Amino acid sequence: MLEHAEKLKHEKASLTSVSEEDYFNSLTFANESIPTELTSVKQKLGKYLSKFSFKKQQSYQMHKQADKFLPQIAAILKSYGIPEDFKYVPLVESGLDPRVTSHKGAGGYWQFMPATARLYGLRVNAQVDDRVDFLKSTHAAARYLKSLYEEFGDWTLVAAAYNVGGGSLRASIRRQKESNYFKLRLNAETGSYVYKLVSVKEVIENPVKHGYRI
């Protein structure tokens, strides 16, 4: 009996392991595969999937905001040819709360810096701040993402550039002679950015798997 119980235990562990491996292998960003065969990549994904799980968040706020805004964002992004996964950017950036501002001066749904906002058609002055206008800022973000893709030609790098700035990412690529996001050495925030986007996407699209009762 003990031998049989031990055998069942090992079989269960094996099935769990295969299931987890299949799950990680199924994860994508902007229709691009994620190299989860790399231990560091898998560990980071596990870390942020846990961070955005219900066990850690203890809140349904992300899902409420997602239900309210994401369909509109997806439609706008589609009209510019931007992959749907970028609809999670403002959820990661601001929690879709336009009142959020960073210590560097980024603000609004998409956390635009004032200069970048103006470059893509938004008014930011003492009287008006279009960064807090949902539709205007989303169209501006789509234009910005499109321009980044024209430069980098890779949607994962586009996400990184959105976070750190095109100039800074170009410098890192040139200095390291490496254009694979998952192998680049980037600052902590940018180095975790795509993992956060993928994790939020998974928590919104597969809530029950991550502890939410929806």
Side-chain angles (χ1 to χ4, degrees):
M1 286 179 65
L2 287 173
E3 185 179 345
H4 180 64
E6 190 67 22
K7 183 180 178 182
L8 288 176
K9 180 181 176 182
H10 284 299
E11 286 178 353
K12 184 178 180 182
S14 176
L15 286 171
T16 301
S17 176
V18 170
S19 177
E20 180 183 88
E21 187 173 341
D22 288 345
Y23 174 68
F24 276 101
N25 289 340
S26 73
L27 300 180
T28 62
F29 177 71
N31 302 314
E32 297 175 1
S33 61
I34 297 171
T36 52
E37 69 276 5
L38 298 176
T39 302
S40 60
V41 171
K42 192 172 182 179
Q43 287 176 342
K44 276 192 175 182
L45 275 173
K47 173 184 175 181
Y48 286 102
L49 284 167
S50 174
K51 180 179 179 179
F52 291 109
S53 69
F54 181 76
K55 185 177 180 180
K56 293 292 179 67
Q57 296 291 320
Q58 295 290 305
S59 167
Y60 287 84
Q61 184 63 21
M62 277 197 304
H63 289 85
K64 289 178 182 177
Q65 294 296 82
D67 289 344
K68 183 178 179 181
F69 292 106
L70 294 193
Q72 289 177 273
I73 295 173
I76 291 170
L77 294 178
K78 185 178 180 180
S79 72
Y80 287 86
I82 309 297
E84 186 173 339
D85 285 354
F86 280 88
K87 69 186 180 183
Y88 296 105
V89 166
L91 200 53
V92 168
E93 288 282 348
S94 68
L96 283 164
D97 181 349
R99 299 167 297 180
V100 171
T101 56
S102 77
H103 67 281
K104 293 182 179 179
Y109 290 97
W110 291 82
Q111 290 293 286
F112 272 115
M113 292 295 287
T116 307
R118 296 187 189 103
L119 188 61
Y120 288 91
L122 299 180
R123 294 171 298 169
V124 182
N125 56 49
Q127 287 75 42
V128 181
D129 189 345
D130 285 336
R131 295 178 298 174
V132 301
D133 184 300
F134 173 69
L135 291 177
K136 288 180 180 179
S137 64
T138 301
H139 279 282
R143 290 192 291 271
Y144 183 31
L145 291 167
K146 189 172 183 177
S147 72
L148 289 172
Y149 185 74
E150 288 169 359
E151 177 176 0
F152 292 100
D154 177 279
W155 288 115
T156 307
L157 290 178
V158 167
Y162 188 92
N163 178 255
V164 76
S168 179
L169 184 62
R170 277 195 305 274
S172 293
I173 290 171
R174 184 172 61 250
R175 186 170 59 253
Q176 298 176 41
K177 296 180 174 58
E178 176 61 70
S179 59
N180 184 328
Y181 169 82
F182 298 100
K183 295 181 180 180
L184 278 165
R185 296 186 303 278
L186 301 165
N187 69 69
E189 183 182 343
T190 307
S192 64
Y193 195 65
V194 171
Y195 296 94
K196 289 179 182 178
L197 289 173
V198 172
S199 298
V200 167
K201 168 190 171 183
E202 285 302 308
V203 164
I204 297 300
E205 294 184 0
N206 301 292
V208 175
K209 184 175 181 63
H210 300 284
Y212 294 86
R213 298 179 181 274
I214 294 178

